[in-house]
Amino acid sequence: RIQYAPMKRDRKPCTIVKKDFMINPGELDLRGEGAKGVPQVELEMALDKEMYYHGEKISVHISVRNQTNNTVANIKATAVQCTDITMFGDRTYRAVVDQKTSTKGCPVLPGTSLEKNLHLIPTVEGAKSRRGVALDGPNENINAKLASTTLLVKPDDKDQFGMIITYHVKVKVYLGKLGGELSAELPFALMSPE
């Protein structure tokens, strides 16, 4: 199946996730914002757009606000290809197609914040292993590229013998051995221009 990128896609995906550290349970906020006065780490991530062409650089804006006693040791951004094989009962294969780890600006000490941009370029060469990576073209072809995102008019209308390709960027911040980690994901489309 060959699909080309739609002409105009201006949306800029973004998300915010928080992790509370409840040593002393605070007063519960009924608006759903967590407990008042509880220390937390907040991770905000945004992409510069939602549609990318093959070989194009993805700029991931990351903002970390640390209101805890923990320190943020490092930050990792990963571009992941997800392949849903619909003919085998919706099995999903995930393959890392690019990854960057950064300690620049780290550790993020208690009560401080950090803003940075990481750049990812999802490519066949950036895949840690070609095992499980869906391609447009044969594996032996030097011009083979990653499979394009599958655009479905109706998400329930999956081809019984097809593959559904999606991509997302995942950002993880590591909070040390006791703090664990905090992660967020944003989807993006990887396609060819018409």
Side-chain angles (χ1 to χ4, degrees), residues 94-156:
R94 288 176 173 75
V96 172
V97 291
D98 197 18
Q99 180 174 288
K100 298 282 186 296
T101 301
S102 176
T103 55
K104 189 173 182 180
C106 293
V108 181
L109 299 173
T112 63
S113 60
L114 171 70
E115 292 200 21
K116 70 182 326 164
N117 286 314
L118 291 177
H119 301 286
L120 300 170
I121 303 175
T123 61
V124 175
E125 295 81 22
K128 286 195 161 205
S129 165
R130 286 195 174 196
R131 185 180 189 107
V133 177
L135 303 175
D136 282 346
N139 193 19
E140 300 81 24
N141 187 346
I142 60 169
N143 296 323
K145 57 187 175 203
L146 296 172
S148 295
T149 300
T150 306
L151 299 178
L152 295 173
V153 176
K154 299 176 188 172
D156 296 334

Side-chain angles (χ1 to χ4, degrees), residues 32-98:
E33 295 178 3
K36 291 182 180 177
V38 173
Q40 63 184 2
V41 173
E42 183 178 277
L43 168 62
E44 180 178 353
M45 69 176 285
L47 303 179
D48 53 342
K49 56 187 176 176
E50 71 172 336
M51 176 76 62
Y52 297 91
Y53 296 137
H54 291 282
E56 193 174 3
K57 179 171 46 174
I58 299 172
S59 181
V60 185
H61 178 73
I62 301 165
S63 178
V64 179
R65 289 176 278 289
N66 185 5
Q67 301 164 354
T68 68
N69 290 330
N70 294 320
T71 58
V72 175
N74 65 10
I75 299 169
K76 181 163 84 171
T78 308
V80 180
Q81 178 195 68
C82 298
T83 306
D84 293 331
I85 312 289
T86 58
M87 64 190 270
F88 296 124
D90 283 337
R91 288 193 180 169
T92 301
Y93 295 92
R94 288 176 173 75
V96 172
V97 291
D98 197 18

